[in-house]
């Protein structure tokens, strides 16, 4: 969602709400199925004949447009490697940040983009109306009379040992786990290669040739609201990448933050709308399949070569088969002062997806300034005095147990005593010793 001034069809398309703020269906089921068929066909996937009441007319449209779909798919193939603007900003950051590791990471260019609110929900359940359930190793989904029900594998979070940060960029808080940059790079490499069974798109589960692909979306969460007649609202951009079998996670996050549309279109490019952009970008990659990866293979040191901190946080291995984070869910992030943050979630718990977007809003608030978010952190405060323009000795500050004469006697030849009744340190000439009954007038 590019701004809060959306109305009518635009509001429905991006948020599934009407102008009164009520949830509405933006199109009927047949129209949605037709839209999905066109999207999958244009991405080069084989779409079987429709089975609904409008099957004949829809199949004719698919046949008539088949040459156009093939042409579009071929153009997309030729543009493999070309990134849309937000992905290009994130890719440039990764290229720079991971250069020292020697590992090259490329964001997906063939992920199916969810560019309309509600599409992810449709794709989370098989298209066959007689099938009302979908199950894989990470998710159980059910079609209900009033919507869908998703039960992720982990539906309650634990925080112990969960928050990991790559050793790069900004300082790492003491309560977070520092991870070698090369380990982050290898985790990211694995995260972007989900297994086929996890990439299976639920909507196509009953097809002869089911679609297996990653799925993506773009969010534009609000970081700083508009102040009328003073400053416009400011939004950041966040790209989400998930395995096809976890498309329900996108359904969840867009229900909270809205859907910002197709990132390839100029009208959705934050870089062309600097008036409303914070200049910051986020990326979230869902990767439950990386739990259980081998510590040694990820580049962590052996126990005998590890630092005390690595031993304390488990960032080393003792046995050849030791698993990263003991095979438990975790999240790991890479960020710096440019305001770009790339996070891997090794869990499909819905709460992590929401909280990670809020965390990235927090980084944006810190980088952008003039904004605040509950996860944005706090300030470092130092004790100080306001002494005004006139200063007179106050026993509460200067005390009464010492005199100027005693101080000069103790300091001896390390100070120069001036005729006006004060002394200056010979080595540190900006330090002056004043009588206990002096007064200062800055006027």
């Amino acid at each position: 969602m590019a701004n809060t001034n959306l109305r009518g069809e635009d509001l429905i398309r991006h948020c599934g709400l009407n102008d009164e703020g009520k949830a509405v269906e933006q199109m009927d089921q047949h129209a949605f199925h037709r839209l999905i068929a066109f999207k999958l066909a244009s991405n080069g996937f084989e779409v079987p004949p429709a089975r609904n009441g409008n099957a004949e007319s829809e199949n004719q449209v698919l046949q008539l447009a088949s040459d156009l779909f093939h042409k579009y798919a071929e153009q997309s193939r030729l543009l493999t490697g070309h990134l849309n603007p937000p992905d290009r900003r994130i890719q440039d950051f990764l290229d720079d940040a991971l250069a020292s590791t020697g590992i090259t990471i490329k964001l997906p260019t063939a992920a199916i983009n969810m560019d309309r609110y509600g599409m992810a929900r449709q794709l989370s359940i098989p298209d066959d109306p007689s099938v009302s359930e979908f199950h894989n190793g990470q998710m159980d989904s059910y079609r209900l009379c009033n919507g869908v029900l998703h039960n992720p594998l982990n539906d309650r979070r634990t925080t112990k040992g969960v928050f990991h940060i790559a050793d790069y960029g900004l300082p790492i808080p003491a309560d977070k786990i520092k991870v070698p940059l090369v380990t982050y790079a290898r985790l990211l490499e694995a995260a972007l290669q989900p297994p086929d069974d996890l990439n299976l798109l639920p909507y196509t589960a009953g097809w002869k040739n089911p679609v297996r692909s990653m799925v993506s979306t773009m969010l534009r969460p609000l970081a700083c609201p508009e102040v009328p007649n003073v400053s416009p609202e400011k939004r950041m951009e966040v790209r989400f990448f998930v395995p096809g079998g976890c498309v329900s996670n996108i359904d969840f996050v867009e229900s909270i933050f809205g859907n910002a549309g197709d990132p390839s279109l100029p009208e959705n490019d934050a870089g062309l709308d600097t008036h409303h952009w914070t200049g910051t970008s986020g990326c979230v990659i869902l990767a439950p399949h990386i739990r259980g990866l081998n510590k040694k293979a990820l580049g962590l040191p052996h126990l005998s070569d590890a630092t005390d901190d690595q031993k304390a946080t488990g960032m080393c291995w003792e046995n050849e088969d030791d698993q990263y984070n003991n095979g438990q869910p975790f999240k790991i992030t890479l960020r710096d002062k440019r305001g770009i943050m790339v996070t891997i979630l090794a869990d499909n718990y819905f709460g992590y997806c929401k909280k990670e977007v809020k965390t990235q809003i927090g980084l944006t608030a810190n980088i952008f300034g003039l904004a605040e978010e509950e996860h944005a952190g706090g300030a470092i405060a130092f004790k100080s005095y306001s002494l005004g323009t006139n200063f007179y000795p106050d026993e509460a500050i200067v005390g009464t147990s010492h005199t100027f004469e005693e101080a000069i006697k103790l300091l001896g030849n390390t100070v120069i005593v001036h005729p006006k009744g004060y002394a200056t340190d010979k080595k540190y000439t900006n330090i002056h010793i004043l009588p206990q009954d002096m007064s200062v007038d800055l006027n």
Side-chain angles (χ1 to χ4, degrees):
M1 183 167 60
N3 60 72
T4 54
N5 298 316
L6 295 173
R7 295 291 184 273
E9 289 300 318
D10 285 337
L11 184 60
I12 295 173
R13 179 188 180 95
H14 290 287
C15 301
L17 302 173
N18 62 19
D19 291 341
E20 287 73 45
K22 296 181 179 180
V24 294
E25 293 292 338
Q26 54 181 304
M27 59 179 70
D28 61 35
Q29 289 293 315
H30 293 324
F32 241 132
H33 287 314
R34 186 161 54 246
L35 175 63
I36 291 171
F38 290 169
K39 176 173 280 291
L40 295 178
S42 65
N43 276 271
F45 296 107
E46 181 182 346
V47 178
R51 291 174 291 191
N52 56 47
N54 299 321
E56 184 175 351
S57 61
E58 291 186 16
N59 291 333
Q60 286 178 348
V61 172
L62 283 173
Q63 291 172 2
L64 290 171
S66 61
D67 289 342
L68 181 62
F69 292 147
H70 289 319
K71 179 180 178 180
Y72 181 83
E74 179 62 14
Q75 289 175 338
S76 298
R77 186 189 67 79
L78 293 174
L79 288 173
T80 299
H82 174 76
L83 296 171
N84 57 58
D87 288 359
R88 171 46 59 194
R89 288 186 274 271
I90 296 165
Q91 184 67 61
D92 289 345
F93 166 73
L94 290 173
D95 290 345
D96 179 53
L98 302 179
S100 63
T101 68
I103 299 173
T104 301
I105 304 294
K106 296 298 182 184
L107 292 176
T109 57
I112 304 170
N113 187 61
M114 302 291 99
D115 53 8
R116 182 186 290 266
Y117 181 91
M119 184 177 293
R121 184 168 301 174
Q122 295 290 332
L123 290 174
S124 67
I125 292 289
D127 72 327
D128 187 344
S130 67
V131 179
S132 58
E133 300 179 10
F134 176 79
H135 307 274
N136 61 23
Q138 301 295 329
M139 181 67 62
D140 297 311
S141 296
Y142 304 87
R143 192 197 319 272
L144 305 178
C145 60
N146 61 342
V148 293
L149 171 66
H150 301 304
N151 282 332
L153 177 64
N154 296 311
D155 60 359
R156 183 177 59 184
R157 76 172 186 175
T158 58
T159 57
K160 183 178 179 182
V162 163
F163 304 114
H164 302 185
I165 301 178
D167 188 11
Y168 175 85
L170 298 171
I172 298 174
D175 62 337
K176 303 298 187 290
I177 297 176
K178 181 168 66 175
V179 180
L181 188 58
V182 67
T183 299
Y184 172 87
R186 290 176 179 172
L187 285 168
L188 181 57
E189 187 176 39
L192 293 173
Q193 301 178 45
D196 279 352
D197 60 334
L198 189 58
N199 256 348
L200 190 148
L201 200 61
Y203 184 86
T204 70
W207 292 7
K208 180 181 178 181
N209 296 305
V211 172
R212 290 178 169 83
S213 172
M214 292 194 76
V215 178
S216 70
T217 196
M218 182 170 70
L219 312 176
R220 289 295 305 278
L222 183 68
C224 186
E226 176 188 11
V227 180
N229 302 318
V230 177
S231 60
E233 69 175 24
K234 294 283 187 175
R235 294 177 177 271
M236 68 175 300
E237 60 182 4
V238 178
R239 289 283 281 136
F240 247 87
F241 293 94
V242 308
C246 295
V247 67
S248 53
N249 287 78
I250 288 180
D251 174 26
F252 176 76
V253 293
E254 74 173 13
S255 297
I256 300 171
F257 300 103
N259 185 305
D262 189 342
S264 299
L265 299 179
E267 58 263 36
N268 296 327
D269 182 3
L272 299 178
D273 184 25
T274 55
H275 198 53
H276 297 96
W277 184 36
T278 58
T280 58
S281 304
C283 180
V284 182
I285 298 161
L286 198 67
H289 57 283
I290 67 172
R291 294 196 300 268
L293 290 183
N294 183 271
K295 284 185 174 182
K296 181 180 179 181
L298 291 173
L300 291 174
H302 184 264
L303 182 66
S304 60
D305 299 318
T307 64
D308 290 341
D309 180 66
Q310 288 174 326
K311 293 175 183 176
T313 58
M315 287 296 116
C316 57
W317 58 276
E318 184 175 9
N319 302 308
E320 294 274 348
D321 59 351
D322 283 352
Q323 296 180 342
Y324 186 84
N325 202 47
N326 296 317
Q328 297 302 306
F330 64 94
K331 79 166 192 173
I332 181 169
T333 193
L334 174 74
R335 77 278 192 271
D336 73 4
K337 63 183 180 181
R338 284 173 282 191
I340 297 182
M341 188 173 186
V342 181
T343 300
I344 309 167
L345 299 179
D347 194 359
N348 66 329
Y349 167 64
F350 284 176
Y352 282 148
C353 293
K354 175 199 69 174
K355 188 175 184 299
E356 184 54 32
V357 176
K358 295 179 70 177
T359 299
Q360 298 196 358
I361 297 173
L363 177 68
T364 286
N366 284 334
I367 296 291
F368 176 68
L370 300 178
E372 186 174 325
E373 200 272 339
E374 64 172 315
H375 298 92
I380 301 176
F382 298 93
K383 186 177 181 180
S384 64
Y385 294 97
S386 176
L387 302 177
T389 58
N390 293 281
F391 179 80
Y392 302 95
D394 183 340
E395 292 182 0
I397 298 175
V398 302
T400 60
S401 59
H402 299 287
T403 65
F404 178 74
E405 290 74 16
E406 289 176 343
I408 297 303
K409 185 178 179 180
L410 286 170
L411 293 170
N413 65 356
T414 63
V415 297
I416 300 173
V417 181
H418 301 285
K420 290 186 177 181
Y422 71 97
T424 301
D425 191 281
K426 290 181 178 179
K427 185 174 182 180
Y428 303 102
T429 56
N430 62 332
I431 298 178
H432 306 285
I433 298 88
L434 306 178
Q436 69 274 11
D437 58 351
M438 57 78 190
S439 63
V440 176
D441 184 356
L442 297 180
N443 296 318

